[in-house]
Amino acid sequence: MLYSERPQMLMVLYFIFAGSVLLFPGRAWQLAKMASVIAGFIAVSASVWRVHQGNFELLPTAVGLLAVFIGWIVLGFSERYLIDEANQHAYVAKVLLCLGLIETVVQTESLVWMFLAWGALLVTMNRLLLFYPDRPAARWVVIKKTCFDVLTGLCLFAVLAVMWLQTGKVNVTLADVAVGPHSAWVGFFLAIACVLTTAQLPFHGWLIQVMEAPTPVSALLHAGVVNLAGYILLRLHVLVEYSLAGRYVLVAVGGITAVCCAFVLMTRISIKVRLAWSTCAQMGFMLMECGLGLYSMAVLHLIGHSLYKAYAFLSSGDSVTDAIKNVFVVRYRRDQIRLNPYHAVFALIMSLFMVWIVQWIVGLFVTLHESWMVAVFLASGLWPLLWLPEGSDNALWRKAILQFVGIVLAYWVVSALMSEGLPPAVVSSSNFSWVLALFALLFVVQLIVWFQPNSNWVSRWYGWVYNGFYLDDFINQIIRKLPIVKELA
């Protein structure tokens, strides 16, 4: 089976409207608005229909609705943003095509079509990144990204080849995905493909340098394309779960990327560059969650990251006004903002207590199967919300506590809803120690930077951290030596 019954209409809709825009370029934006409205209606009605038929799957339904919503927002913003730009109809057609391909990846039951649509999405996104084809920086980014896309394609082909050897079927479906003698290789190649497409170190440079593209393209890229690898890992979690090498790749590469990118983030001031480094870090965390088996946490991370990054990029134009009002004032009052390191310990203990309290309350209504390690992970990741400066008023404390409780409650609710489709988290002690060590390292470095910003240690490492440990320069040297790249350059 290629598609589910109702969502097939959604994919076909985007493809039809993409072609219609090319046929009627003068009505591109009207067709885009029409496609967004109809897609929203179909997505909601399909969800209701699935519930009525008893065939409701939360993960593809939620991600499908999310893609429709982000597409509607990006297209609406683009109409105002691209006023007086040339080739607007081609831009609209490519965005609609991207949305159709995203829905294909999300809704299809066939691994062949899923990977073909994923590859076509990467190629289409390259064309959007070349909105200004005369800019050398944009061309170089696409050349570099294309090299990683080719490697991704080879990994996906290896996945399909091994699945064919294992099942004897060319068109493998999700129902055919099961543990077999070659599952370890399948999970390993899938993990490598996801590392490449989510811009993990050292393959991150193209994502940092795509700022030549229009802002709505960046919003679509960060909110709907880069994190699609996380969705595929969740759909094929059986293969990853039984591949020890694949899980080690996700945990090690994702964890190191998350921490290193968090360090780099502290040295950058450009809002869009900071957002790009933030995406690398967040994707690292999400891959690490998948490698650890924290699938419910990865689902919440995927949805939250998509919504936040779409908003952050589309509102990045307000950064100048915000800087005048807030950032300069904060810098002026930096010496007046007092953070007590002992309060950090109190915040960590308080966060552990609050996580377990929320878990206990949710457990009164639904059955939770998560281990105590999951609660420790949540507390370790969210405790900075409760580490407030000395003298913080009650309003700030209430806001911090509400944010903390809201995120924890959302996780436990998602975990309960996903209990039928995803296995409960079972984290090994070695992976548990690895993640805690990463959190501790990040915490210690942030303390040193905050309390001793002018120390010799910080000054010595600043250049390395600011330049991303020069990993991208190393990758650039390798890519420039490729014969085909020499011809294109």
Side-chain angles (χ1 to χ4, degrees):
M1 181 175 63
L2 176 57
Y3 302 118
S4 318
E5 295 178 1
R6 289 300 180 92
Q8 179 181 4
M9 300 170 56
L10 192 59
M11 307 170 207
V12 174
L13 171 77
Y14 280 122
F15 295 146
I16 291 176
F17 272 89
S20 301
V21 167
L22 296 178
L23 292 175
F24 306 99
R27 298 182 178 272
W29 295 113
Q30 292 88 334
L31 291 170
K33 293 177 183 177
M34 190 182 303
S36 299
V37 173
I38 298 175
F41 173 77
I42 292 177
V44 174
S45 62
S47 302
V48 175
W49 176 260
R50 282 179 165 182
V51 173
H52 176 69
Q53 294 293 318
N55 188 29
F56 181 77
E57 293 184 77
L58 181 59
L59 181 59
T61 302
V63 177
L65 286 169
L66 180 65
V68 171
F69 176 72
I70 291 177
W72 171 55
I73 296 297
V74 168
L75 285 170
F77 183 90
S78 300
E79 183 180 9
R80 301 185 301 273
Y81 186 91
L82 297 176
I83 292 178
D84 297 331
E85 292 284 358
N87 298 322
Q88 294 185 30
H89 68 286
Y91 168 87
V92 174
K94 292 170 187 174
V95 171
L96 291 173
L97 181 58
C98 283
L99 295 174
L101 292 170
I102 291 172
E103 292 294 343
T104 304
V105 173
V106 171
Q107 303 296 346
T108 184
E109 298 289 330
S110 167
L111 261 64
V112 174
W113 286 105
M114 179 186 290
F115 292 164
L116 286 176
W118 196 13
L121 175 63
L122 297 177
V123 174
T124 307
M125 181 53 62
N126 289 345
R127 305 312 302 171
L128 279 173
L129 295 177
L130 281 175
F131 186 82
Y132 301 110
D134 57 326
R135 297 183 179 181
R139 294 199 302 270
W140 170 244
V141 165
V142 171
I143 290 174
K144 185 157 57 172
K145 181 177 178 296
T146 301
C147 294
F148 301 144
D149 292 344
V150 171
L151 294 177
T152 301
L154 294 176
C155 289
L156 296 180
F157 178 79
V159 170
L160 293 176
V162 176
M163 290 298 295
W164 172 70
L165 291 174
Q166 186 166 294
T167 63
K169 296 181 179 180
V170 176
N171 188 19
V172 182
T173 65
L174 293 176
D176 300 321
V177 174
V179 181
H182 307 294
S183 296
W185 284 106
V186 174
F188 175 75
F189 286 124
L190 185 62
I192 296 297
C194 292
V195 166
L196 291 168
T197 55
T198 53
Q200 299 297 282
L201 298 180
F203 313 106
H204 64 290
W206 67 269
L207 188 64
I208 310 301
Q209 298 156 4
V210 295
M211 302 310 161
E212 297 291 334
T215 296
V217 174
S218 298
L220 179 62
L221 174 66
H222 289 255
V225 177
V226 173
N227 57 359
L228 201 58
Y231 171 81
I232 293 175
L233 284 174
L234 291 169
R235 291 286 275 176
L236 304 178
H237 67 272
V238 174
L239 300 176
V240 178
E241 195 169 349
Y242 287 91
S243 175
L244 187 62
R247 295 184 67 176
Y248 280 157
V249 167
L250 294 175
V251 173
V253 177
I256 293 174
T257 298
V259 172
C260 291
C261 291
F263 293 158
V264 177
L265 192 62
M266 292 187 290
T267 67
R268 299 303 182 110
I269 59 174
S270 171
I271 181 64
K272 292 182 71 175
V273 173
R274 284 175 59 87
L275 288 173
W277 280 105
S278 171
T279 295
C280 293
Q282 295 301 325
M283 291 300 98
F285 276 117
M286 189 171 65
L287 293 186
M288 185 174 64
E289 290 160 0
C290 292
L292 293 170
L294 303 175
Y295 300 116
S296 298
M297 192 177 295
V299 171
L300 184 62
H301 205 151
L302 187 152
I303 296 174
H305 177 269
S306 296
L307 295 173
Y308 166 70
K309 278 299 160 66
Y311 168 79
F313 270 99
L314 297 182
S315 63
S316 61
D318 298 331
S319 59
V320 175
T321 304
D322 293 339
I324 294 175
K325 291 181 178 180
N326 301 317
V327 175
F328 293 146
V329 176
V330 170
R331 286 180 178 176
Y332 176 74
R333 297 181 55 195
R334 179 184 176 89
D335 58 337
Q336 302 177 24
I337 300 176
R338 298 179 180 179
L339 288 174
N340 192 326
Y342 297 104
H343 289 180
V345 179
F346 171 76
L348 180 59
I349 297 174
M350 184 178 176
S351 63
L352 284 168
F353 176 75
M354 291 176 63
V355 167
W356 280 321
I357 287 294
V358 175
Q359 181 183 9
W360 176 75
I361 294 174
V362 175
L364 296 176
F365 301 94
V366 296
T367 302
L368 298 175
H369 303 283
E370 308 288 2
S371 67
W372 62 271
M373 293 183 182
V374 178
V376 175
F377 283 140
L378 280 173
S380 300
L382 297 176
W383 70 267
L385 290 173
L386 304 179
W387 187 26
L388 300 180
E390 293 182 354
S392 299
D393 56 16
N394 293 332
L396 190 59
W397 273 106
R398 283 195 298 269
K399 180 180 178 181
I401 292 174
L402 285 175
Q403 288 177 339
F404 186 96
V405 173
I407 295 174
V408 175
L409 182 61
Y411 169 73
W412 292 123
V413 170
V414 170
S415 178
L417 293 174
M418 290 289 181
S419 59
E420 295 184 3
L422 296 173
V426 180
V427 184
S428 65
S429 58
S430 59
N431 287 335
F432 180 75
S433 302
W434 164 256
V435 175
L436 287 186
L438 289 177
F439 279 130
L441 175 63
L442 184 59
F443 170 65
V444 170
V445 171
Q446 287 178 330
L447 280 182
I448 294 175
V449 170
W450 179 264
F451 289 105
Q452 296 182 346
N454 298 318
S455 64
N456 293 332
W457 186 87
V458 174
S459 301
R460 188 181 306 115
W461 280 97
Y462 180 86
W464 281 82
V465 175
Y466 180 85
N467 289 284
F469 304 96
Y470 298 99
L471 292 173
D472 187 50
D473 296 334
F474 174 72
I475 295 297
N476 285 339
Q477 291 178 4
I478 295 177
I479 293 177
R480 286 194 175 98
K481 292 179 181 179
L482 299 176
I484 189 172
V485 173
K486 292 180 179 179
E487 294 179 4
L488 294 175

